[in-house]
Amino acid sequence: MRRTETTLSRQISRQGDDMIALQQLTREAEANRTLYEYFLGRLKETSAQQGIQQADSRILSAAVVPKVPTAPRKGLILAFCAVLGLIAGVAVVLLRDLLRDGFRTARQLEEDTGLVVMGQIPVIPGATRGEVMGYLAAKPSSAAMEAVRNLRTSVLLSNVDAPPQVIMLTSSVPGEGKTTNALALAMNFVGIGKSVLLIEGDIRRNMLAEYFPQHAGRKGLVSLLSGAAEVDEVVIAHPELGLSLIMGERSRVNAADLFMSDAWKGFIAQMRRRFDYILIDTPPVLVVPDARIIAQSADAALFSVLWDGTPRREVFEALQLFASVRQKVSGLILSRIDTDRMQRYGQGGSYGARYGAHAEYYRD
């Protein structure tokens, strides 16, 4: 009896301990459930706010490192840049061509000025003025010299009854080839057996000294007109070219005053009796008034225009200055024509470019 009681007491005591443990586990489970529900609710709120939905995924294949980059596509970019550069280059060339204000054909020059173009002189080969002169002397049958012969013929036939004897050459601004044209024309007159005197009328710059450096520093036109030298002292006979020269000189005396003096007029009258032709290289018209003064003593005035270079406005202004002193320009020279560029402009049929198209007639 006592054993049974003891056993029951133990069972009751064990059940009480188990009940306490069960209640403790129940509280812990409830607390964990509450905490889980809290975190689950927060997770849902966060997912809803960020719009993140993680889909189920799986690896189909391992990633492969590419041998060439997929971006940027350099070849496509370079091709696109090349096309854009080509278009931009063509646009710039066309724009520059439209903005150029020079004369490219003799017809255009004649129509705009109302004057005849007596000569079209191509670019004469030579890096220096000495090389240019050497080319003219060594190549009398070249295209350049044939162009100068055409100029000579036009000048002589411009007045058949009274061919000009004193011929002056000028231009609007420096660098238009007037000195080279004067020298080449003088050499052409020598070629037909005439006595020729080439005078440096641009005494401010003395351009002939660059063609004939061996004669630089000698007494010249200023000494002659001032009475410091005689004619025979200043006239230089060039044995190789067959012509005579009078060089310029630096002087404090104003050049315009010299050319307006009686000494200049008397000198020209004396040279008319001594030489068949007298050519005077004068300064640019828009720079100094010397050319318009010298024109009073000349029989013909040739006006050089740089091919595709001299702006129309400058040509018109220079011609207007001649008209203001009632001096008529006898003819124009379209100077330093680039025949290759003329062909590219589609003007190969014009007179100046034919020298390049019919090379069999010339010996360059």
Side-chain angles (χ1 to χ4, degrees), residues 68-116:
V68 293
T70 57
R73 301 176 64 180
K74 295 182 180 180
L76 181 61
I77 293 176
L78 290 176
F80 185 68
C81 291
V83 173
L84 287 181
L86 180 62
I87 294 175
V90 172
V92 170
V93 171
L94 292 176
L95 181 60
R96 289 187 60 185
D97 184 65
L98 291 174
L99 293 178
R100 292 192 73 89
D101 195 30
F103 295 96
R104 290 179 180 166
T105 64
R107 177 178 299 179
Q108 184 183 43
L109 182 57
E110 289 178 342
E111 290 177 351
D112 288 358
T113 61
L115 298 173
V116 64

Side-chain angles (χ1 to χ4, degrees), residues 96-319:
R96 289 187 60 185
D97 184 65
L98 291 174
L99 293 178
R100 292 192 73 89
D101 195 30
F103 295 96
R104 290 179 180 166
T105 64
R107 177 178 299 179
Q108 184 183 43
L109 182 57
E110 289 178 342
E111 290 177 351
D112 288 358
T113 61
L115 298 173
V116 64
V117 174
M118 289 188 173
Q120 301 181 63
I121 313 299
V123 175
I124 299 175
T128 63
R129 298 186 189 276
E131 292 179 2
V132 169
M133 188 183 70
Y135 180 89
L136 294 175
K139 305 288 186 178
S141 298
S142 64
M145 288 302 281
E146 290 295 342
V148 178
R149 286 189 182 90
N150 282 325
L151 170 62
R152 181 194 69 196
T153 302
S154 299
V155 172
L156 294 181
L157 296 181
S158 61
N159 189 345
V160 180
D161 296 330
Q165 182 183 9
V166 179
I167 304 168
M168 60 161 285
L169 292 93
T170 189
S171 62
S172 302
V173 292
E176 300 192 71
K178 61 178 179 58
T179 304
T180 303
N181 294 338
L183 177 60
L185 187 58
M187 294 170 64
N188 256 271
F189 278 122
V190 172
I192 58 176
K194 301 297 182 180
S195 60
V196 180
L197 174 65
L198 178 59
I199 300 174
E200 173 68 274
D202 191 355
I203 61 177
R204 290 179 171 86
R205 297 178 66 200
N206 297 326
M207 297 304 298
L208 283 183
E210 297 186 15
Y211 288 92
F212 305 97
Q214 69 273 24
H215 299 309
R218 288 191 51 169
K219 290 184 178 181
L221 187 61
V222 177
S223 297
L224 176 63
L225 297 181
S226 62
E230 298 296 330
V231 172
D232 292 335
E233 295 181 64
V234 299
V235 174
I236 304 170
H238 198 289
E240 296 179 0
L241 300 182
L243 53 81
S244 298
L245 305 167
I246 294 183
M247 309 296 288
E249 292 178 279
R250 297 287 182 181
S251 173
R252 295 182 179 179
V253 180
N254 185 273
D257 295 340
L258 285 176
F259 293 123
M260 293 185 68
S261 65
D262 292 335
W264 165 256
K265 297 176 183 178
F267 162 70
I268 291 296
Q270 182 181 0
M271 294 302 100
R272 284 179 181 272
R273 295 188 295 268
R274 183 169 175 176
F275 294 94
D276 294 325
Y277 293 102
I278 303 167
L279 278 73
I280 309 173
D281 178 34
T282 66
V285 179
L286 295 181
V287 180
V288 290
D290 303 6
R292 290 183 291 159
I293 299 173
I294 295 174
Q296 309 286 333
S297 304
D299 302 325
L302 301 180
F303 189 93
S304 296
V305 178
L306 179 63
W307 178 82
D308 199 27
T310 309
R312 298 165 185 261
R313 174 179 53 82
E314 293 182 352
V315 174
F316 297 147
E317 288 181 6
L319 295 177

